[in-house]
Amino acid sequence: MLAGIMLASLNMRAALAGVSPLLGEIGDDFGLSATVRSLVTTVPLIFMGLASPLAPRMARRWGTDPVLLGALVLLGGGILLRVAPPMVALFAGGALVGSGIALLNVLMPGLVKRDFPDRAAGMTALYTTAMIGGATASAAAAVPLENALGGWRGSLASWALLAGLAALVWLPQALLARRAPRH
């Protein structure tokens, strides 16, 4: 459970923070104006706001743990879609990234309080630190990954591995939660 929370938390900002250092290359690749370039970072934020109200309803219907697993899968899929060649995929992937992060943002505090009621403050500090660490690592590694992986697409796509790993670690928790009565 702790590993799942930490890995999910690392993902909660990494897919956003790694874009800004590469925005020039992304814009040059697609021939985007400055205004359209700003939408590359704005679209995920808009969808974070739009998807956030859906999280509690989804958790009531399917359970928190399966929805968190779905959010990680959605996030990983959005990261990969965002690097696909057509420009529309850049924005559609950004919408999925923002939606996945929104679900994680809304459900993680309740999950921590549910599963660690006596240590909620410490666990919240731990997952918040992991979230900030993921953002910092993503922003710092964006350009070196771009150089190592042959371009901005490889750099951004690499964060799908982290989302996939988090989903894999979260899978047993989601399966156990489906069999247990809901909280």
Side-chain angles (χ1 to χ4, degrees), residues 16 22 62-63 110 124 138 154 170 174:
L16 299 175
L22 304 172
W62 293 298
T124 300
S138 175
W170 199 259

Side-chain angles (χ1 to χ4, degrees), residues 85-181:
M87 184 173 55
V88 70
L90 179 66
F91 295 104
L96 295 179
V97 164
S99 298
I101 291 172
L103 297 174
L104 291 167
N105 283 345
V106 172
L107 297 178
M108 191 64 72
L111 177 104
V112 166
K113 290 175 187 167
R114 181 194 77 192
D115 291 346
F116 300 95
D118 298 336
R119 296 179 303 242
M123 286 299 298
T124 300
L126 196 60
Y127 94 73
T128 302
T129 301
M131 180 174 60
I132 293 166
T136 303
S138 175
V143 173
L145 283 171
E146 176 188 29
N147 295 332
L149 299 174
W152 67 267
R153 284 185 167 91
S155 179
L156 291 184
S158 67
W159 295 103
L161 295 172
L162 183 61
L165 177 62
L168 209 67
V169 169
W170 199 259
L171 181 62
Q173 180 63 27
L175 293 174
L176 287 173
R178 298 282 293 169
R179 293 187 186 114

Side-chain angles (χ1 to χ4, degrees), residues 11-114:
N11 279 282
M12 289 169 69
R13 295 294 180 274
L16 299 175
V19 174
S20 292
L22 304 172
L23 203 51
E25 289 80 2
I26 295 168
D28 291 347
D29 193 27
F30 287 114
L32 304 177
S33 69
T35 303
V36 177
R37 287 177 197 218
S38 70
L39 290 175
V40 174
T41 56
T42 303
V43 166
L45 300 177
I46 290 168
F47 277 84
M48 284 173 69
L50 292 174
S52 291
L54 304 175
R57 285 183 264 175
M58 293 172 74
R60 278 192 299 274
R61 180 167 184 173
W62 293 298
T64 299
D65 301 278
V67 173
L68 282 170
L69 174 62
L72 290 166
V73 171
L74 183 67
L75 177 60
I79 291 169
L80 292 175
L81 178 61
R82 191 168 58 180
V83 300
M87 184 173 55
V88 70
L90 179 66
F91 295 104
L96 295 179
V97 164
S99 298
I101 291 172
L103 297 174
L104 291 167
N105 283 345
V106 172
L107 297 178
M108 191 64 72
L111 177 104
V112 166
K113 290 175 187 167
R114 181 194 77 192

